[in-house]
Amino acid sequence: MSSSLLTPNVLCGLMLAYALTVLCTPDCTPRKSVPYESSHFKVFRKEGIWNYSSMLMREDLGLLIVGAREAIYALDIKNISFVQAEVRWQVTQAKQDECTYKGKHPDIDCRNYIRTLHQISEDVMYVCGTNAFNPICDTLVYADGQLKLEGKQEEGKGKCPFDPSQRYSSVVVDGDLYSATVLNFLGSEPVILRSSQTVLRTESSWLNEPNFVYMDVVPESMDSPEGDDDKIYIFFSENAVEYDFYNKLIVSRVAQVCKGDRGGQRTLQRRWTSFLKASLECPVSGNILPFVVQDVFQVRDSNWRNSVFYAIFTSQSASNYKSSAVCAYSVLDINEVFSHGKYKTPVTVEASHVKWIMYTGDPPVPRPGACINNAARDSKIQSSLDLPDKTLQFIRDRPLMDDIVKPLTGEPLLVRRGISFTRIVVDCAVALDGKRYPVMFIGTDNGFVQKAVNYNGEMHIIEELQLFKSPEAISVLRLSSSTFQLFAGTASGVVQIPLADCSRYSSCLDCVLARDPYCAWDLRARHCTTFSSQMKDVDFLQSLKEGNASRCPDPVPVMPKNRTLVLGNNVKLPCQQDSSLAQVNWQFDEKPLNPSSKKYSIYNDGLVIYNASASDAGRYTCESVEHVVSRQYHRTLAVYELRLVSDEGDKDRILVGIVTKKPHTSTAVPNVYPGSPQHLNTESSWVAMKVALAVVSVMMAALLMWNLYMGHLQLQMCCRQQHKLPSHCDSATCALHQDTASNSTEPQAELYLSAKSNHRNGNNVGSLKYTMDESEI
Ligand SMILES: *[C@@H]1O[C@H](CO)[C@@H](O)[C@H](O)[C@H]1NC(C)=O
Ligand SMILES: *[C@@H]1O[C@H](CO)[C@@H](O)[C@H](O)[C@H]1NC(C)=O
Ligand SMILES: *[C@@H]1O[C@H](CO)[C@@H](O)[C@H](O)[C@H]1NC(C)=O
Ligand SMILES: *[C@@H]1O[C@H](CO)[C@@H](O)[C@H](O)[C@H]1NC(C)=O
Ligand SMILES: *[C@@H]1O[C@H](CO)[C@@H](O)[C@H](O)[C@H]1NC(C)=O
């Protein structure tokens, strides 16, 4: 079904095995934070339709099938704004009434949320919906540009959740649907089910209030010397039974079942004989409670032994402050725990209390929970139906392993504090060096996607992108490697973005230090470009692991910009950083500016000099220093020549402005040059204006201070904070502050206007008073 995903991913999954993990301390900051820009994204949302929660990639048809509330859409994979076909699937009034009668909300619960979408064959898809707490399934065909539900409604219990807000997972393997969800209305009967000729399910005692997040198949029968079977792995969290804990403790699990399982003959009839579960560990230092698995993605390799599961976890604690982590697990490590690990066994202590401890005896033969392999077949066990009762009874009572599945690198690949991860997909990027690098795309609960890589154990978040304007949780992420696209769904819509937008990197240094495996600097065309393997590497620059930008051509020197200084005013000198990892350094006349001085505020986007005086005139240089691996890259971003108004050039400019615009000179005054008689004649008005300028400046400065003191002080603090924590500050409030600051960016222009009108009116005081009153209102 997903043949495109099974294409060889040579070494991509394996690379991590060689990694030593060094966590970014104390936290990983994305190098770039890209705010919401609706114009740049391709968006799909339909008026009145919500909860775009399931997706099926049909690269063969060039379609993305999206399941929402009571509707299914076939969208053009190149541009999801373009709807190829749609079909509505609404609940009947009777079903809605029945659901409402049972105490559910008519408009929230008692609707049909499309949750399951699978491809069965080339033409046929399988789709299930919650159908007002009464799940049903149907087949869906796409033919002649139309989506059609065939109306062969099937029971959906155990295949699709009743409750639309409940997590669940399913996968189709060889035409059989494997699903992990609940069997009843109350949600109290969890099940891992195979809907096939022989329906198989779990015993209810095997699962303890689980929250299923993911399941997938691993073709372990391929080149297996033991004649092993394919496995389906199920990832979930559940209440722990193995710890003595004062409170409910949630642990993460991975479970297995064998594809060829047919259940037991007497014991475990129509139940899995191969169900085993183990704890999944993702140790985050400084946390006592284990993190809880939220989503998983399998990075497949042509040799299944090199396949890797990437899992995201979030902290479990009473506080709202969430942390998140990514851990990767080798399929081989999981296999090892199930096929050679020790079991846990329940022991009753103190009358009714049950403790789970390691089983120390010899387990029966064949090994409980193992798939039927060559050794079993040799002893006349052809299928699970032939398994002896001893083996089956053992596994019925002891499905939990004592051994724990540990992450590939021993530690998380990524930890972020204050953020909740919700979904993950991983793409393998072929880089300039010919190697494959796993690139993680992680959705968050506030509408962002984080794009991250791990180079030799060093975690690096290339960028975070705000895909949705409102902070809503990303509930589905899908990848199309062949079309180079990522799709994200939330309650309100679907957004499509390319896996990389290299044009965001404006310079060679920016492009190389981004360490984005999809992007390389084109030395000839002098721009950052999406790298493809056909390109000759002599013409391109990329340095992923080292972040070595020494081969970048010398940057074009930055031209100094002239700025006018007005005594007593605040001056803002803009300087846009292109990396959040870089440090801003300002220099004044070649000497480092003291950042702790009260005279200055250094922001992400510039420098503000308060109450400028004559001694502030001079050359200001804004430099970024980016620390990559063990090197520092310095870059001059902006240079300003700040000059006092009374400098010859500026004085003349203002003079020219005033004189030529004076109404009574409109008749015969030619161009005015310095030293001309007109210049001398206007000297007295120049002095008057200078006085006016000074008065206005002082008043404006006072007003600004007053404003800051009265109400905007907090905004300022927010932005100061933002300097350190760019993702936590509301950009709207910061923009507000920037407006306040930018009033002082070009003070000369504003003052020039009021000076002009004063000149015309000849009533300086009245005019100033008026201005002040207006500001005070
Ligand atoms: C995508 O399709 C929509 C609707 O057909 C169209 O308005 C939009 O311009 C397209 N966007 C791009 C980038 O092609
Ligand atoms: C469906 O969307 C609505 C509207 O955004 C949201 O309030 C609700 O939580 C969503 N329900 C589910 C089950 O995702
Ligand atoms: C960085 O790259 C340059 C040019 O390829 C090379 O000469 C230099 O040794 C590299 N530096 C490090 C520390 O690897
Ligand atoms: C800045 O002022 C200097 C001296 O007045 C002048 O030579 C230069 O051209 C000006 N630069 C710009 C960019 O206007
Ligand atoms: C601005 O600086 C001058 C001296 O340079 C000082 O006398 C004045 O009090 C300052 N004004 C404010 C508002 O800080």
Side-chain angles (χ1 to χ4, degrees):
M1 50 159 289
S2 38
S3 54
S4 64
L5 286 173
L6 289 167
T7 50
N9 281 337
V10 184
L11 279 183
C12 185
L14 197 65
M15 263 188 32
L16 286 163
Y18 306 115
L20 319 146
T21 301
V22 182
L23 283 179
C24 10
T25 45
D27 189 13
C28 283
T29 307
R31 186 171 181 275
K32 268 192 205 297
S33 192
V34 182
Y36 178 80
E37 300 161 276
S38 53
S39 55
H40 282 204
F41 303 143
K42 291 168 189 155
V43 178
F44 170 71
R45 54 167 59 101
K46 255 285 157 69
E47 187 72 32
I49 300 289
W50 299 94
N51 311 90
Y52 302 83
S53 56
S54 51
M55 286 184 190
L56 173 65
M57 195 64 66
R58 291 297 306 265
E59 282 165 328
D60 53 334
L61 302 174
L63 293 178
L64 175 73
I65 312 293
V66 172
R69 196 172 81 176
E70 317 214 303
I72 305 160
Y73 299 93
L75 310 176
D76 189 332
I77 215 166
K78 294 195 204 82
N79 179 358
I80 57 167
S81 307
F82 189 60
V83 182
Q84 300 278 12
E86 64 177 280
V87 61
R88 302 297 298 266
W89 191 7
Q90 282 160 303
V91 285
T92 60
Q93 191 61 47
K95 279 279 173 262
Q96 194 172 17
D97 291 346
E98 193 184 314
C99 169
T100 312
Y101 179 72
K102 287 179 185 164
K104 299 292 174 190
H105 191 289
D107 267 334
I108 295 171
D109 304 317
C110 303
R111 297 291 208 102
N112 191 22
Y113 293 77
I114 311 303
R115 298 295 306 278
T116 305
L117 275 174
H118 288 293
Q119 189 177 344
I120 299 287
S121 66
E122 210 167 295
D123 312 312
V124 182
M125 291 172 275
Y126 196 66
V127 49
C128 305
T130 59
N131 192 36
F133 266 74
N134 183 25
I136 49 165
C137 301
D138 200 349
T139 45
L140 177 73
V141 286
Y142 179 77
D144 310 324
Q146 299 248 298
L147 274 180
K148 208 185 287 160
L149 284 165
E150 296 210 300
K152 300 182 204 157
Q153 297 198 350
E154 285 181 15
E155 176 66 67
K157 281 189 183 72
K159 298 178 187 170
C160 176
F162 287 67
D163 183 343
S165 62
Q166 199 171 51
R167 285 297 298 275
Y168 97 104
S169 186
S170 63
V171 66
V172 169
V173 182
D174 294 348
D176 292 335
L177 179 76
Y178 293 73
S179 51
T181 180
V182 295
L183 271 176
N184 63 342
F185 181 88
L186 291 175
S188 55
E189 230 182 294
V191 71
I192 297 170
L193 189 77
R194 183 179 68 200
S195 311
S196 56
Q197 210 88 49
T198 16
V199 176
L200 284 190
R201 50 166 290 188
T202 42
E203 281 281 357
S204 49
S205 63
W206 294 347
L207 298 160
N208 199 354
E209 293 180 40
N211 187 32
F212 299 108
V213 300
Y214 183 80
M215 61 201 294
D216 206 359
V217 62
V218 177
E220 295 186 23
S221 63
M222 210 186 274
D223 322 313
S224 169
E226 304 87 37
D228 203 355
D229 194 3
D230 296 346
K231 315 258 171 70
I232 289 92
Y233 290 109
I234 306 107
F235 292 81
F236 59 103
S237 58
E238 65 172 350
N239 291 345
V241 289
E242 66 269 39
Y243 298 107
D244 284 320
F245 198 67
Y246 61 93
N247 221 330
K248 192 164 97 170
L249 181 71
I250 301 169
V251 286
S252 305
R253 306 274 199 218
V254 54
Q256 70 149 43
V257 292
C258 301
K259 194 178 80 178
D261 200 340
R262 298 179 61 194
Q265 189 65 263
R266 286 180 301 275
T267 312
L268 292 183
Q269 230 179 56
R270 289 191 294 278
R271 299 289 184 273
W272 297 105
T273 65
S274 54
F275 178 86
L276 288 173
K277 62 178 181 179
S279 286
L280 200 61
E281 185 187 67
C282 185
V284 181
S285 62
N287 283 273
I288 303 155
L289 299 181
F291 275 42
V292 180
V293 67
Q294 300 298 338
D295 195 30
V296 181
F297 185 86
Q298 185 186 176
V299 176
R300 289 192 178 87
D301 193 278
S302 51
N303 178 355
W304 63 267
R305 292 168 185 85
N306 297 334
S307 294
V308 172
F309 287 108
Y310 282 74
I312 51 172
F313 291 78
T314 56
S315 54
Q316 63 175 310
S317 65
S319 86
N320 282 329
Y321 191 78
K322 283 273 183 190
S323 293
S324 300
V326 181
C327 279
Y329 304 89
S330 150
V331 165
L332 220 47
D333 288 348
I334 299 174
N335 174 297
E336 179 64 23
V337 166
F338 289 134
S339 46
H340 298 111
K342 294 248 185 305
Y343 300 84
K344 270 194 193 302
T345 188
V347 175
T348 308
V349 287
E350 296 157 17
S352 66
H353 185 65
V354 175
K355 255 182 123 78
W356 284 76
I357 57 166
M358 189 172 88
Y359 181 81
T360 49
D362 284 330
V365 179
R367 184 181 159 88
C371 305
I372 304 303
N373 57 15
N374 290 341
R377 281 185 277 265
D378 286 348
S379 49
K380 303 257 170 352
I381 298 169
Q382 297 299 329
S383 84
S384 62
L385 293 166
D386 306 327
L387 283 169
D389 277 344
K390 251 190 354 193
T391 293
L392 295 177
Q393 279 156 4
F394 186 97
I395 200 65
R396 185 190 59 201
D397 300 332
R398 299 173 191 86
L400 179 61
M401 303 307 296
D402 188 62
D403 287 24
I404 287 172
V405 176
K406 296 212 160 70
L408 198 48
T409 48
E411 276 176 307
L413 297 174
L414 168 67
V415 175
R416 280 215 76 181
R417 307 201 189 271
I419 286 185
S420 263
F421 292 166
T422 57
R423 295 293 187 274
I424 184 171
V425 291
V426 182
D427 184 44
C428 273
V430 182
L432 191 63
D433 59 10
K435 297 203 178 96
R436 289 172 167 269
Y437 293 88
V439 182
M440 299 173 243
F441 295 87
I442 304 166
T444 67
D445 67 344
N446 59 351
F448 279 75
V449 161
Q450 318 256 331
K451 177 176 168 186
V453 285
N454 190 301
Y455 295 127
N456 288 343
E458 181 210 3
M459 178 46 66
H460 177 61
I461 303 180
I462 299 165
E463 58 190 357
E464 66 175 6
L465 299 127
Q466 187 185 4
L467 299 192
F468 295 87
K469 200 167 188 178
S470 62
E472 46 191 319
I474 293 193
S475 56
V476 54
L477 268 187
R478 284 286 185 277
L479 197 65
S480 167
S481 301
S482 65
T483 59
F484 201 63
Q485 301 290 313
L486 181 75
F487 304 91
T490 66
S492 77
V494 185
V495 166
Q496 167 181 26
I497 54 165
L499 299 185
D501 180 358
C502 303
S503 66
R504 265 201 284 276
Y505 307 118
S506 52
S507 65
C508 179
L509 206 59
D510 194 20
C511 182
V512 175
L513 297 188
R515 300 162 78 194
D516 186 330
Y518 300 109
C519 299
W521 182 259
D522 186 334
L523 286 162
R524 292 188 185 186
R526 294 208 201 96
H527 65 82
C528 198
T529 183
T530 308
F531 174 75
S532 81
S533 42
Q534 291 89 26
M535 294 172 170
K536 283 208 309 281
D537 55 354
V538 285
D539 299 332
F540 295 91
L541 274 187
Q542 193 184 55
S543 175
L544 302 179
K545 288 186 202 154
E546 296 83 22
N548 182 351
S550 59
R551 279 179 63 210
C552 272
D554 286 336
V556 191
V558 177
M559 288 303 291
K561 290 187 188 119
N562 292 334
R563 281 285 185 277
T564 312
L565 182 154
V566 181
L567 287 174
N569 255 279
N570 299 341
V571 182
K572 183 172 181 194
L573 302 176
C575 176
Q576 201 63 50
Q577 290 293 311
D578 47 27
S579 165
S580 319
L581 302 180
Q583 208 189 333
V584 203
N585 282 348
W586 280 88
Q587 281 167 6
F588 173 47
D589 284 344
E590 316 292 317
K591 286 188 287 289
L593 206 72
N594 178 9
S596 55
S597 162
K598 281 215 169 63
K599 193 156 182 53
Y600 308 109
S601 282
I602 297 176
Y603 297 110
N604 266 354
D605 61 346
L607 168 78
V608 176
I609 306 166
Y610 297 109
N611 189 15
S613 63
S615 61
D616 291 326
R619 173 178 285 232
Y620 290 81
T621 309
C622 173
E623 188 192 56
S624 87
V625 184
E626 191 159 358
H627 202 94
V628 180
V629 191
S630 56
R631 275 176 298 276
Q632 281 189 344
Y633 291 94
H634 293 253
R635 196 143 55 96
T636 304
L637 297 172
V639 179
Y640 294 99
E641 290 287 352
L642 195 60
R643 294 152 189 277
L644 206 57
V645 178
S646 54
D647 276 13
E648 278 303 307
D650 297 307
K651 183 171 79 183
D652 293 334
R653 215 182 67 217
I654 287 179
L655 272 173
V656 170
I658 290 168
V659 172
T660 52
K661 279 179 185 158
K662 257 169 77 174
H664 68 265
T665 55
S666 59
T667 38
V669 176
N671 288 337
V672 182
Y673 297 103
S676 70
Q678 280 85 355
H679 183 137
L680 293 174
N681 289 347
T682 50
E683 196 67 64
S684 57
S685 57
W686 164 242
V687 171
M689 199 194 66
K690 219 163 116 177
V691 171
L693 277 176
V695 171
V696 175
S697 314
V698 169
M699 284 185 158
M700 284 205 45
L703 268 172
L704 185 79
M705 300 296 271
W706 182 79
N707 268 328
L708 286 175
Y709 176 73
M710 288 309 283
H712 300 160
L713 197 62
Q714 258 183 331
L715 301 184
Q716 193 188 9
M717 282 168 67
C718 163
C719 279
R720 274 178 206 273
Q721 242 176 15
Q722 194 203 19
H723 183 52
K724 286 180 220 116
L725 297 165
S727 57
H728 296 304
C729 193
D730 185 342
S731 56
T733 43
C734 286
L736 201 68
H737 174 77
Q738 278 164 17
D739 285 345
T740 321
S742 66
N743 280 345
S744 51
T745 314
E746 306 286 346
Q748 64 276 34
E750 206 165 307
L751 290 168
Y752 165 71
L753 282 176
S754 48
K756 192 175 75 174
S757 63
N758 291 345
H759 187 90
R760 211 184 284 160
N761 296 342
N763 186 358
N764 297 356
V765 182
S767 162
L768 278 175
K769 245 199 179 129
Y770 178 76
T771 313
M772 212 170 108
D773 289 349
E774 193 179 47
S775 319
E776 274 178 342
I777 287 163

